[in-house]
Amino acid sequence: MDSIVVTGGAELRGEIPIAGAKNACLTLMPATLLSDEPLTLTNAPRLSDIKTMTALLQSLGCEVTSMQDGRVLALSSHDINNHTADYDIVRKMRASILVLGPMLARDGHAIVSLPGGCAIGARPVDLHLRALEALGAELDLRDGYVHAKAPGGLKGGTVTFPLVSVGATENVLMAATLAKGTTVIENAAREPEIVDLADCLRRMGAQIDGDGTSTITVQGVDRLGGATHPVVTDRIELGTYMLAPAICGGEVECIGGRMDLVSAFCERLDAAGVNVEETDRGLKVSRRNGRVSAVDVETQPFPGFPTDLQAQMMALLCTADGTSTLHETIFENRFMHAPELIRMGARIDVQGGSATVTGVERLKGAPVMATDLRASVSLILAGLAAEGDTVVNRVYHLDRGYEHVEDKLGAVGAKIERVPER
Ligand code: EPZ
């Protein structure tokens, strides 16, 4: 397994291009299952998770062609010949569950492996299943698989989520586009990736209103057509790279960045003493006066502070002047980066869903272990500010969500290299 070695201390200056959103692309790709006409996605990110979703769709009989060095994906579900999403693919990536709703809506049956948990929590899919049952799906859970049927097709209904779920909102939104009648989704997720999915589905002929708010209304249609759709900018990659000049100084312009995608995050950066300037190409970031100040953070569903930026923000706060508290309200075990940051000299006390961070002047480079996608990149950020070398192992986690991180950071002056496994 490759490692990444970061030598801290360099200030960063220049531009970092922000790619299309992994978490948008992973729900846009299964949307091809709703139509027998071609779906083309542009501005697609080049990530291992996209390759995994490609393999899953191909195992169902979809054609997925990657063009322009992976930035364009041409998908077609004209010849679906398998309605079973196997465990050996689903276990690698939980977003695989997102083929369930579209397959059920279009063909009236689907068998999808339950994804199982992951490092950051149990992450059940009960909300996905209850929502599809509200549209008339008959579900039978056995042998670790969901056996789903919709004899006579899905019917519009009211789905009221007891808690906000991005994936469950995406699954039922896709299914509702072909259900007979009207579907109302209450307490829907409001993330930009939901709005991006709705935009794509409307391009395919779906009738959707209210996406981006807590109540989404869908008028089912008989069939959907093809479309070409640009994947929305990745707000989590954006926030991650905005933190690089914040943690080690300098000035970086994140090309393609949009303030509306990261407004709650930017409010916390501003409170910590980080300047964010909107330019006509993106967002320019620099520290106002040297060391940042401690701030408190609480993760919330969009438009609140994103849980996917919590680990990265913790890395910044490890070097802040003062004591910060981070409350993680979305996942039950999302502080696994803390012990690794402590190995670098950080002072962090984790109590259940809260972490108290007492900033130190300087972190010390050390060998550390990546445990999940966002934890791994928080260790890279910490390494940028640390004294000496930080070796981040198990970077396959990183490659799931960040394309060529060493190239993007190296281009703005970071001392960072990928060391292939010996
Ligand atoms: C999506 O995961 C993202 N993944 C996650 O990003 C992100 O952290 C999460 O949304 C929250 O924003 C993709 O979009 C592929 P949820 P998802 O359903 O949909 C519980 C990353 O780093 N829940 O909004 O799985 C769940 O356990 C990844 O890119 C149920 O209880 O998240 C969690 O506590 C990590 N039952 C909470 O809801 C369910 O049926 C929110 O989960 C579904 C979820």
Side-chain angles (χ1 to χ4, degrees):
M1 278 175 265
D2 292 358
S3 302
I4 284 189
V5 181
V6 186
T7 304
E11 286 206 345
L12 306 180
R13 293 194 181 285
E15 299 176 353
I16 296 181
I18 304 302
K22 165 179 87 79
N23 291 349
C25 203
L26 289 175
T27 190
L28 291 165
M29 291 174 75
T32 182
L33 293 161
L34 292 164
S35 166
D36 56 8
E37 292 183 24
L39 173 63
T40 301
L41 299 175
T42 60
N43 193 37
R46 283 86 50 87
L47 303 167
S48 57
D49 268 8
I50 304 305
K51 292 192 171 74
T52 304
M53 182 58 82
T54 296
L56 172 59
L57 292 171
Q58 288 172 337
S59 77
L60 303 176
C62 298
E63 284 169 39
V64 184
T65 309
S66 171
M67 299 181 286
Q68 293 180 31
D69 188 24
R71 288 189 188 286
V72 175
L73 298 172
L75 302 103
S76 166
S77 300
H78 190 270
D79 301 319
I80 299 290
N81 53 27
N82 172 27
H83 288 78
T84 299
D86 279 338
Y87 175 63
D88 64 338
I89 296 185
V90 174
R91 68 181 170 77
K92 285 187 209 132
M93 187 182 63
R94 306 177 36 75
S96 307
I97 191 75
L98 294 173
V99 302
L100 176 60
M103 251 199 298
L104 192 53
R106 184 185 157 198
D107 289 341
H109 61 103
I111 301 174
V112 178
S113 167
L114 288 166
C118 78
I120 62 177
R123 300 182 73 185
V125 290
D126 56 315
L127 299 178
H128 297 243
L129 306 182
R130 298 297 79 76
L132 293 172
E133 284 177 327
L135 302 191
E138 294 169 10
L139 307 180
D140 176 17
L141 269 62
R142 62 177 190 274
D143 324 324
Y145 282 76
V146 182
H147 297 254
K149 285 189 174 61
L154 294 173
K155 295 169 192 60
T158 297
V159 176
T160 303
F161 284 118
L163 63 101
V164 173
S165 164
V166 172
T169 301
E170 291 164 346
N171 230 335
V172 75
L173 173 59
M174 288 190 281
T177 59
L178 293 178
K180 292 180 184 61
T182 303
T183 295
V184 178
I185 306 170
E186 293 172 341
N187 201 20
R190 300 169 54 189
E191 272 69 6
E193 293 76 33
I194 305 281
V195 175
D196 200 42
L197 173 62
D199 284 343
C200 179
L201 293 169
R202 277 187 284 262
R203 281 193 166 96
M204 296 168 73
Q207 293 179 26
I208 302 168
D209 291 299
D211 45 292
T213 76
S214 297
T215 302
I216 301 176
T217 304
V218 185
Q219 302 293 345
V221 295
D222 291 339
R223 63 184 301 282
L224 291 178
T228 295
H229 177 79
V231 178
V232 69
T233 301
D234 192 322
R235 62 194 171 95
I236 306 303
E237 188 193 30
L238 170 61
T240 301
Y241 287 125
M242 290 171 72
L243 283 166
I247 204 165
C248 61
E251 183 177 78
V252 170
E253 185 172 13
C254 296
I255 307 304
R258 286 177 16 209
M259 187 69 90
D260 66 302
L261 294 173
V262 284
S263 49
F265 172 70
C266 287
E267 186 279 326
R268 291 290 78 199
L269 285 187
D270 180 60
V274 178
N275 207 42
V276 180
E277 178 199 338
E278 285 188 278
T279 68
D280 56 9
R281 299 179 65 216
L283 298 179
K284 193 178 278 185
V285 184
S286 58
R287 290 191 299 206
R288 266 199 286 278
N289 40 26
R291 197 175 176 200
V292 299
S293 309
V295 294
D296 293 342
V297 171
E298 179 172 288
T299 64
Q300 286 296 335
F302 195 88
F305 188 101
T307 174
D308 290 350
L309 284 173
Q310 177 260 108
Q312 300 91 313
M313 189 70 176
M314 184 185 284
L316 175 69
L317 296 176
C318 286
T319 62
D321 181 7
T323 298
S324 310
T325 303
L326 296 100
H327 296 281
E328 173 54 62
T329 70
I330 307 294
F331 291 106
E332 63 267 33
N333 184 33
R334 202 168 197 179
F335 287 133
M336 284 165 302
H337 40 289
E340 300 305 307
L341 290 166
I342 290 168
R343 288 175 50 73
M344 298 175 69
R347 292 175 55 195
I348 307 170
D349 177 28
V350 174
Q351 299 292 336
S354 292
T356 303
V357 180
T358 305
V360 296
E361 285 273 354
R362 197 87 201 268
L363 295 171
K364 301 269 184 305
V368 289
M369 185 71 71
T371 49
D372 67 84
L373 168 58
R374 308 303 175 183
S376 52
V377 81
S378 81
L379 300 173
I380 299 258
L381 290 172
L384 292 175
E387 197 176 315
D389 289 352
T390 298
V391 182
V392 181
N393 296 300
R394 292 191 183 171
V395 289
Y396 60 86
H397 289 293
L398 206 62
D399 296 334
R400 294 189 54 177
Y402 293 89
E403 55 178 57
H404 313 308
V405 64
E406 65 276 15
D407 299 341
K408 291 194 174 183
L409 287 172
V412 293
K415 293 190 183 64
I416 179 169
E417 62 169 335
R418 181 180 290 258
V419 177
E421 185 178 12
R422 275 179 287 290

